[in-house]
């Protein structure tokens, strides 16, 4: 069979293998040419797009390094100039608002040069990377459309709810939004009215209080007897989080094992747990080394889980419920 792709498609044929199959049902009425990645509808809102492209949001989604790795695995060369030629080796360039993928040839031609088109592509990559991370954090399947409420929930979980535009918060919470500086009748002015962000902050409540005692009796012993920290409320919260391996709904709070935490025939503290679905949990116990090579070490996933709990106010001090 002879396959002759057009010049602007050559970048997608640089791999070792190529799968050719029938068109899926949802693309039967699509126009001919390159199929562009689907954009989350929420990212088309001008206020939300500015929020998603901001530096705090990018770092909450994983940062520049994570986005570069994502572009590396999901993009070919972004440039289709120069008679369609592409070198088989790829590299990545950081632009003002994102990261793009370039072959060596185009990287030599375009690195450190101004290009509105490449800046727009970099921004599109940032949008898709951030919305994809939000979807996975929510534990939703591929193709799920993120709602305003889910966006606010993610921002709360990442500790950046204060960066949300006030108008977006008001839309998500269904409360009126008054444009700052707008003209209103004196009778319509409410001096006690709160901004949407203040209303949202008041409704963020911790579900676990962590007490700190720096002078326990064991602190003065040479060889203190270990206590095992137990907290059912926390393990139940972990169980409700997305699986940290596959992103689906979790079934078990897995106590990390094989790392020296815990005592003889004793589980680690209830604080040292990560959310896992049943399949990933069984896979971890079947071959821990291979599982960690694919999904990351248990210690790293534990820190990620604790960071999320702290950022969401799940673990807090001085607020006993």
């Amino acid at each position: 069979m002879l396959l002759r792709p057009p010049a602007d498609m050559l970048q997608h044929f640089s791999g070792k293998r190529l799968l050719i199959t029938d068109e899926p049902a949802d693309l039967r009425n699509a126009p001919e040419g390159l199929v562009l990645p689907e954009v989350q509808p929420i990212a088309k809102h001008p206020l939300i797009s500015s929020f998603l492209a901001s530096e705090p949001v990018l770092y909450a989604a994983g940062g520049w390094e994570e986005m570069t790795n994502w572009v590396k695995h999901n993009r070919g060369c972004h440039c289709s100039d120069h008679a369609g030629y592409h070198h088989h080796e790829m590299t990545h360039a950081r632009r003002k608002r994102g990261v793009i993928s370039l072959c060596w040839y185009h990287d030599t031609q375009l690195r450190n040069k101004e290009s509105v088109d490449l800046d727009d592509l970099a921004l599109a990559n940032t949008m898709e990377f951030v919305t994809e991370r939000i979807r996975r954090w929510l534990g939703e399947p591929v193709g799920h459309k993120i709602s305003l409420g889910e966006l606010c929930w993610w921002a709360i979980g990442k500790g950046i709810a204060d960066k949300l535009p006030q108008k977006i918060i008001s839309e998500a919470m269904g409360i009126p939004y008054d444009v700052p500086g707008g003209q209103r009748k004196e009778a319509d002015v409410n001096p006690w009215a709160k901004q949407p962000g203040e209303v949202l902050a008041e409704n963020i409540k911790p579900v676990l209080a962590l007490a700190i005692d720096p002078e326990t009796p064991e602190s003065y012993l040479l060889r203190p007897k270990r206590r095992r920290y137990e907290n059912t409320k926390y393990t139940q919260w972990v169980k409700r989080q997305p699986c940290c391996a596959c992103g689906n709904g979790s079934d078990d709070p897995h106590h990390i094992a094989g790392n020296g935490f815990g005592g003889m025939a004793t589980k680690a503290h209830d604080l040292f747990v990560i959310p896992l679905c049943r399949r990933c949990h069984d896979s971890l116990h079947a071959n821990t080394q291979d599982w960690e090579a694919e999904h990351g070490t248990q210690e790293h996933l534990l820190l990620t889980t604790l960071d999320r709990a702290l950022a969401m106010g799940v673990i807090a001090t001085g607020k006993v419920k």
Side-chain angles (χ1 to χ4, degrees):
M1 180 180 68
L2 178 63
L3 179 65
R4 182 177 295 175
D8 60 346
M9 295 288 292
L10 290 176
Q11 55 178 309
H12 302 285
F13 294 82
S14 59
K16 294 182 179 179
R17 297 191 298 173
L18 175 67
L19 175 65
I20 301 176
T21 183
D22 294 334
E23 61 181 0
D26 58 339
L27 292 179
R28 286 175 183 169
N29 296 323
E32 295 183 358
L34 181 65
V35 179
L36 299 175
E38 186 177 6
V39 179
Q40 282 277 354
I42 199 172
K44 299 177 182 179
H45 193 295
L47 287 177
I48 296 179
S49 62
S50 299
F51 170 74
L52 294 175
S54 64
E55 200 81 4
V57 172
L58 177 58
Y59 280 109
W64 287 97
E65 183 176 354
E66 287 291 327
M67 183 167 65
T68 301
N69 291 332
W70 179 84
V71 171
K72 176 180 178 181
H73 291 93
N74 292 277
R75 295 289 183 271
C77 180
H78 280 97
C79 184
S80 58
D81 298 333
H82 304 282
Y85 171 75
H86 291 276
H87 194 274
H88 65 279
E89 294 287 352
M90 302 294 297
T91 187
H92 307 87
R94 177 172 170 177
R95 309 292 294 188
K96 294 179 181 179
R97 298 182 292 177
V99 177
I100 59 172
S101 179
L102 294 173
C103 68
W104 280 9
Y105 176 76
H106 290 111
D107 180 60
T108 303
Q109 299 290 326
L110 299 171
R111 182 173 288 271
N112 299 325
K113 292 184 178 180
E114 295 292 333
S115 173
V116 176
D117 292 339
L118 292 182
D119 286 342
D120 290 341
L121 288 170
L123 178 60
N125 285 341
T126 300
M127 293 290 188
E128 188 176 352
F129 166 74
V130 171
T131 52
E132 176 64 13
R133 284 305 180 94
I134 294 175
R135 180 195 64 78
R136 291 191 59 183
W137 186 88
L138 293 168
E140 299 293 347
V142 175
H144 173 76
K145 308 302 181 185
I146 301 171
S147 66
L148 280 177
E150 290 171 332
L151 177 65
C152 291
W153 176 239
W154 177 82
I156 292 170
K158 291 296 184 178
I160 56 172
D162 59 316
K163 307 298 182 183
L164 283 165
Q166 297 293 318
K167 186 176 181 180
I168 296 304
I169 298 176
S170 66
E171 290 182 19
M173 300 186 68
I175 59 178
Y177 175 69
D178 295 325
V179 180
Q183 295 182 356
R184 289 176 293 170
K185 296 180 180 179
E186 184 176 355
D188 296 334
V189 176
N190 182 1
W192 295 279
K194 297 180 179 180
Q195 289 294 320
E198 296 175 330
V199 177
L200 180 64
E202 290 178 353
N203 286 277
I204 301 175
K205 304 294 183 182
V207 299
L208 174 67
L210 185 65
I212 306 297
D213 184 0
E215 298 183 353
T216 62
E218 289 87 347
S219 301
Y220 300 96
L221 299 178
L222 182 62
R223 294 182 178 179
K225 182 180 179 180
R226 288 176 56 89
R227 301 184 192 181
R228 182 176 179 274
Y229 177 79
E230 298 181 355
N231 196 304
T232 306
K233 289 184 178 180
Y234 181 69
T235 56
Q236 288 176 347
W237 175 82
V238 171
K239 185 177 180 179
R240 295 194 298 269
Q241 306 312 300
C243 174
C244 59
C246 66
N248 295 322
S250 62
D251 299 300
D252 306 309
H254 165 69
H255 293 77
I256 64 172
N259 305 283
F261 298 104
M264 183 68 68
T266 304
K267 287 184 177 181
H269 302 296
D270 278 355
L271 204 60
F272 298 163
V273 293
I274 58 177
L276 291 177
C277 68
R278 190 62 47 79
R279 182 179 63 84
C280 292
H281 200 174
D282 292 342
S283 177
L284 186 150
H285 285 291
N287 193 324
T288 302
Q289 186 174 359
D290 288 350
W291 190 94
E292 289 187 335
E294 180 179 357
H295 302 290
T297 65
Q298 296 177 74
E299 295 94 327
H300 174 74
L301 296 173
L302 170 62
L303 289 175
T304 302
T305 303
L306 287 172
D307 175 71
R308 182 179 182 183
L310 290 166
M312 294 176 65
V314 174
I315 299 177
T317 58
K319 295 182 180 181
V320 180
K321 296 196 71 175

